[in-house]
Amino acid sequence: MSNMSRCLISQVEVQNFIERCMMAVGTKQHHARSLAEVLVEGDHRGHYSHGLNRMDMYVKDIQTGICAKDGEPVVEKESAATALVDGKNLLGPVVGNFCMNLAIKKAKEVGIGWVVAHGSNHYGIAGYYAMQALKENMIGMSFTNTSPLVVPTRGKECTLGTNPISVAAPAKDGDSFVLDMATSAVALGKVELHERRGDPIPEGWGCDAQGKLTPDPKKVLSGGGLVPIGGSEATGGYKGYGLGMMVEVFCGILAGAKYSKHVRTWKVTDRVANLGQCFVAINPENFAPGFSDRMSDLLSIQRGMDSADANTPVLTAGDPERMNMKKCEELGGIPYHINVVNYMNECAKKIGASPLLPCDKLVPI
Amino acid sequence: MSNMSRCLISQVEVQNFIERCMMAVGTKQHHARSLAEVLVEGDHRGHYSHGLNRMDMYVKDIQTGICAKDGEPVVEKESAATALVDGKNLLGPVVGNFCMNLAIKKAKEVGIGWVVAHGSNHYGIAGYYAMQALKENMIGMSFTNTSPLVVPTRGKECTLGTNPISVAAPAKDGDSFVLDMATSAVALGKVELHERRGDPIPEGWGCDAQGKLTPDPKKVLSGGGLVPIGGSEATGGYKGYGLGMMVEVFCGILAGAKYSKHVRTWKVTDRVANLGQCFVAINPENFAPGFSDRMSDLLSIQRGMDSADANTPVLTAGDPERMNMKKCEELGGIPYHINVVNYMNECAKKIGASPLLPCDKLVPI
């Protein structure tokens, strides 16, 4: 692939394209925009597995009616600091924005807002919602359960999703800490990429159908599964398993949504997803003064230390995404593989939406 | 050591012993009891590194005056759902109990209580505080920062503590999920144990002074450090690093306590610890009905699945501790290594406290 290139597309155009495709199948405009904003932010931050690349999945969800195209989320139960929301089977970002706004509103009043939703759908990158709190100088958190893809320590069946955790905390001058991580050792997409290339995977990414760690990506993808962060039991995989369970407690269990192996199979949209999600905002004003100064110092301590290898500086969570966004700004757009652009334009054609308009520039891979 | 045995001591006697030793150096009785309860619970649950074994450290903290023996924690700032507490440099368990009770009280009123403390000290096992919420059928969480022992991904300096996360959630009939984990791959004690035995450690536990993973426990203990859960960067160590930072945000940063490398060196008590800690209670009544039924089903799914090896069943967080407590109940006490008992009795003698009274029974190691 080294002699191929990538198309550069402006962020605005990617967002408009997703919006018009979603509207072409009947999504309300403000719902389509919510989804488009989350997906383009995924690509902008370098998480291509959670961006434009997944648009066809959302289009299909609306087309088949498995995801609702009309209505708004509803608060079912509420206190000054908490809420339970029925997502009404709307697009994940519609539910996510509704809940995160509510959490921030509560945190302004009583210092914290803890909002959980059932009846939701895939919501893109978890970090998008956590980061909304940064605009208000608050800590934000977001969690979602997902289809079963992870095998618990000692087990040989996928009974947990990749159940991500995101925590964002504001530092000075727009700087921030943004943790956005699956509780599996790696994302499924990384294993798929190794399989396509015919490369082995590092020990500690996935297991075969017998629950044994394997370097063979094929075995992970057919009958096996991802393993929790930490890998084997000896290296602490039970901790990643425990964190995946924690996310399930905050999401499926607290919200009364589907959970664990009751969540529908990944990419099989035979029934409503009914995902559980959790959104939290915490106002540092309710705690010790000087929060953002200490955050900046904490980030400086890590970034400023000597690194083991001079070519790879010590980073903090959110720095790789920051570097990717800077690259996009320098290029003047988001670089996409030509195959992705062609595939998405095929999708658009089928539903009568106008195609993506790439910039003239091509970027070497 | 295989032909040696362990002394059996009743839980009540261990607790009374710790109480009388702490009182012998001037600790107020109810403070001494708070500490004794947490430490004995550590041993009872099988976490010997956080039990009687550490009593001498707390005795020294009070003797030298580096930890306050008088006073009570004070609420500095409060809302319906949050509080900032000054621990007044009291024993960690005194601060921890105060904060967790406050968090539970708030959760009864508004569904959640999020309480952080500065001016605290070592508080024993994090799970002890999270589990207080179980008595009220609530979810409990507890976090603390600790002395720097962990080297961030790509780094070669310890700038984070083992920063534990504990989350407890109630299921039916007294069953529960109790996650209580350091965000390092393993505890320092495990590395020390391998060093004493002359055994190598598994790859992914610790690194040398150059930040490279090493199988040599000596290198980890002299100039190197523990690594975050996930091990190397390739196997997801940056996730464990991110989680350690998250705990620091909730503790040192939010509370305005010492944080990161500003926390005093492990076992060096030249200055006040001023640890930051975070305590959370969440009332499931504020969310979807049927929480404990779903929790029980979630635990059953994991425990009920076929395991990769028939000799090691799939567990959920808290099960190993439950098995250890059952063993203690069957034995009729907590088994301790004779060296630990002798060492503690030496300590007691120096401060004029009466010695531990073991049962007659010896238990093979």
Side-chain angles (χ1 to χ4, degrees), chain A residues 77 79 82 110 116 154 159 182 184 205 234 239 241 253-254 259 262 285 287-288 294 297 302 307-308 313 315, chain B residues 77 79 110 116 154 159 182 184 205 210 234 239 241 253-254 259 262 285-288 294 297 302 308 313 315:
Chain A
K77 204 185 262 187
S79 79
T82 65
V110 291
V116 301
R154 298 187 174 186
T159 58
S184 51
W205 280 20
K239 298 187 177 189
Y241 164 37
I253 307 299
L254 208 48
Y259 55 88
H262 305 316
E285 297 278 319
F287 301 95
R294 287 189 296 279
D297 185 40
Q302 317 305 331
S307 61
L315 305 175
Chain B
K77 204 186 263 188
S79 79
V110 293
V116 302
R154 297 185 174 186
T159 57
S184 51
W205 280 21
Q210 280 71 49
K239 296 186 178 189
Y241 163 38
I253 307 298
L254 207 48
Y259 55 87
H262 305 316
E285 297 279 318
N286 284 60
F287 301 95
R294 285 189 297 279
D297 184 42
Q302 316 307 329
L315 304 175

Side-chain angles (χ1 to χ4, degrees), chain A residues 77-84 109-112 114-116 118 139 141 151-160 165 167 169 177 179 181-187 190 202-205 210-212 229-231 233-243 245-246 248-250 252-257 259-262 280 282-295 297-299 301-303 305-309 311-317, chain B residues 77-84 109-112 114-116 118 139 141 151-160 165 167 169 177 179 181-187 190 202-205 210-212 229-231 233-243 245-246 248-250 252-257 259-262 280 282-295 297-299 301-303 305-309 311-317:
Chain A
K77 204 185 262 187
E78 201 172 5
S79 79
T82 65
L84 173 67
E109 287 161 14
V110 291
I112 187 167
W114 188 289
V115 177
V116 301
H118 61 90
I139 299 171
M141 294 199 272
V151 177
T153 308
R154 298 187 174 186
K156 50 182 181 178
E157 188 189 337
C158 294
T159 58
L160 287 171
I165 294 173
V167 180
F177 168 80
L179 182 66
M181 53 172 265
T183 49
S184 51
V186 290
K190 282 199 185 176
E203 167 119 350
W205 280 20
Q210 281 71 49
K212 298 237 178 311
I229 313 167
E233 187 168 349
T235 53
Y238 56 92
K239 298 187 177 189
Y241 164 37
L243 291 167
M245 288 281 281
M246 175 192 82
E248 193 59 279
V249 171
F250 294 167
I253 307 299
L254 208 48
Y259 55 88
S260 185
K261 70 176 183 182
H262 305 316
V280 184
I282 300 170
N283 192 351
E285 297 278 319
N286 284 62
F287 301 95
F291 179 86
S292 58
D293 291 339
R294 287 189 296 279
M295 271 308 301
D297 185 40
L298 176 64
L299 299 179
I301 289 169
Q302 317 305 331
R303 290 170 181 155
M305 93 177 80
D306 283 344
S307 61
D309 173 348
N311 298 315
T312 53
V314 179
L315 305 175
T316 70
Chain B
K77 204 186 263 188
E78 200 171 8
S79 79
T82 65
L84 172 67
E109 287 160 13
V110 293
I112 186 167
W114 187 289
V115 177
V116 302
H118 59 90
I139 298 171
M141 295 200 273
V151 178
T153 308
R154 297 185 174 186
K156 50 182 182 179
E157 188 189 337
C158 294
T159 57
L160 287 171
I165 296 173
V167 180
F177 168 81
L179 182 67
M181 53 172 265
T183 50
S184 51
V186 290
K190 283 199 184 178
E203 165 120 351
W205 280 21
Q210 280 71 49
K212 297 238 180 308
I229 315 166
E233 187 169 351
T235 54
Y238 55 93
K239 296 186 178 189
Y241 163 38
L243 291 167
M245 288 281 281
M246 175 191 82
E248 193 58 281
V249 171
F250 294 165
I253 307 298
L254 207 48
Y259 55 87
S260 184
K261 68 176 184 185
H262 305 316
V280 183
I282 300 170
N283 192 350
E285 297 279 318
N286 284 60
F287 301 95
F291 179 85
S292 57
D293 292 338
R294 285 189 297 279
M295 270 308 301
D297 184 42
L298 177 64
L299 299 179
I301 290 170
Q302 316 307 329
R303 291 170 181 158
M305 94 176 79
D306 284 343
S307 62
D309 173 348
N311 298 315
T312 52
V314 179
L315 304 175
T316 69

Side-chain angles (χ1 to χ4, degrees), chain B residues 79-293:
Chain B
S79 79
T82 65
L84 172 67
V85 168
D86 181 349
K88 294 285 181 188
N89 193 30
L90 291 157
L91 287 165
V94 174
V95 182
N97 287 341
F98 180 89
C99 292
M100 197 65 211
N101 287 337
L102 190 56
I104 290 170
K105 190 166 156 272
K106 290 175 184 296
K108 280 184 189 168
E109 287 160 13
V110 293
I112 186 167
W114 187 289
V115 177
V116 302
H118 59 90
S120 193
N121 283 282
H122 294 288
Y123 73 175
I125 52 169
Y128 181 85
Y129 309 96
M131 285 188 296
Q132 301 308 311
L134 298 179
K135 297 173 190 166
E136 307 286 343
N137 274 312
M138 290 184 187
I139 298 171
M141 295 200 273
S142 157
F143 311 85
T144 183
N145 64 10
T146 71
S147 297
L149 288 169
V150 175
V151 178
T153 308
R154 297 185 174 186
K156 50 182 182 179
E157 188 189 337
C158 294
T159 57
L160 287 171
T162 52
N163 296 7
I165 296 173
S166 180
V167 180
K172 282 190 301 186
D173 307 321
D175 195 9
S176 59
F177 168 81
V178 182
L179 182 67
D180 187 1
M181 53 172 265
T183 50
S184 51
V186 290
L188 190 70
K190 283 199 184 178
V191 178
E192 289 172 337
L193 202 65
H194 278 69
E195 192 218 8
R196 278 203 293 275
R197 287 187 195 143
D199 288 339
I201 52 171
E203 165 120 351
W205 280 21
C207 66
D208 63 21
Q210 280 71 49
K212 297 238 180 308
L213 289 181
T214 176
D216 184 352
K218 279 193 177 43
K219 290 186 177 166
V220 174
L221 297 169
S222 55
L226 300 173
V227 298
I229 315 166
S232 71
E233 187 169 351
T235 54
Y238 55 93
K239 296 186 178 189
Y241 163 38
L243 291 167
M245 288 281 281
M246 175 191 82
V247 172
E248 193 58 281
V249 171
F250 294 165
C251 295
I253 307 298
L254 207 48
K258 292 286 180 193
Y259 55 87
S260 184
K261 68 176 184 185
H262 305 316
V263 179
R264 72 181 183 199
T265 306
W266 177 231
K267 287 185 178 165
V268 180
T269 51
D270 53 341
R271 54 202 162 105
V272 159
N274 190 11
L275 297 184
Q277 291 163 349
C278 177
F279 305 87
V280 183
I282 300 170
N283 192 350
E285 297 279 318
N286 284 60
F287 301 95
F291 179 85
S292 57
D293 292 338

